[in-house]
Amino acid sequence: QGSTERKRRRSENPDRYLKLEMSLLILSMYNTRYLKRIDEDAFVFNSSIGRKVNAIERSLCEDDENGLHRIELEDICRLLEPEDESSFRYYADIIKLGPDDEAFYRQCLSGYELQKCKDKRLEVLNELAVAETMGNAEDVTQLAQELMKLNDLISKLSEGKNV
């Protein structure tokens, strides 16, 4: 049930997650070494378009050995359905990469993790309210501890500290 709830919450905040996913895909379009980093960091694309663009980028750079390959926007777009193409072009226009690819990459990952933690905190707060209403002291204690851990993690991620 927890996994379903998290997916539902993610679907309630699609723009937040989608922009972070698209940011990683735009970065890996310009520098395909980040496709390998995405794998190493076990990042999972949850959006349909994210999975599609990720698969396209991987197929377009299969022959690239040095990882410095750049994929052209047009090469990706011609393999997308019109609606996905329009959406990907939109994000390609609004997402601006900085001079430091690695810092941008880490910022995307921590932003994604921060949003997941914030969504989980809301979920725990709701569960805590229900447990308090039901008078379930054991659940209240367990959820309060989980909430404290999430708040600590959110604080660290917000400050840009490694966790």
Side-chain angles (χ1 to χ4, degrees):
Q1 179 188 354
S3 176
T4 303
E5 178 69 15
R6 279 189 290 280
K7 286 179 183 173
R8 185 184 65 75
R9 288 212 181 273
R10 245 180 247 142
S11 68
E12 290 173 359
N13 297 309
D15 292 341
R16 294 176 188 169
Y17 289 104
L18 186 57
K19 186 171 182 184
L20 289 164
E21 285 186 9
M22 291 296 110
S23 295
L24 288 173
L25 291 165
I26 299 298
L27 175 62
S28 59
M29 180 178 79
Y30 288 107
N31 184 341
T32 59
R33 285 185 301 186
Y34 284 96
L35 289 172
K36 184 175 182 182
R37 289 287 305 280
I38 287 167
D39 287 343
E40 290 168 356
D41 290 326
F43 185 86
V44 176
F45 291 95
N46 290 305
S47 69
S48 173
I49 187 173
R51 288 188 301 273
K52 289 174 190 174
V53 172
N54 184 42
I56 289 169
E57 286 183 351
R58 289 173 188 286
S59 71
L60 290 173
C61 72
E62 280 178 345
D63 298 330
D64 181 39
E65 294 178 13
N66 64 12
L68 297 173
H69 184 70
R70 175 187 164 125
I71 301 169
E72 296 300 322
L73 177 65
E74 293 307 316
D75 291 337
I76 295 170
C77 288
R78 70 180 160 77
L79 297 171
L80 289 169
E81 297 294 323
E83 184 177 315
D84 289 336
E85 176 187 354
S86 174
S87 181
F88 189 63
R89 284 184 187 279
Y90 167 77
Y91 283 104
D93 285 342
I94 66 165
I95 294 170
K96 304 298 179 214
L97 303 179
D100 185 348
D101 288 350
E102 185 59 24
F104 183 82
Y105 177 77
R106 286 192 313 268
Q107 183 181 4
C108 288
L109 285 185
S110 65
Y112 198 85
E113 191 62 32
L114 177 61
Q115 190 58 51
K116 283 184 0 186
C117 288
K118 286 180 176 181
D119 286 351
K120 179 66 177 170
R121 179 176 59 187
L122 287 174
E123 183 181 318
V124 170
L125 283 169
N126 288 335
E127 291 174 10
L128 184 59
V130 170
E132 287 174 340
T133 301
M134 302 298 284
N136 189 335
E138 187 177 314
D139 283 353
V140 167
T141 301
Q142 182 264 326
L143 290 166
Q145 289 172 348
E146 186 175 354
L147 185 61
M148 287 174 30
K149 288 177 186 174
L150 282 168
N151 284 336
D152 185 47
L153 186 55
I154 288 168
S155 177
K156 288 178 182 174
L157 285 169
S158 295
E159 294 169 8
K161 294 180 180 175
N162 291 335
V163 288

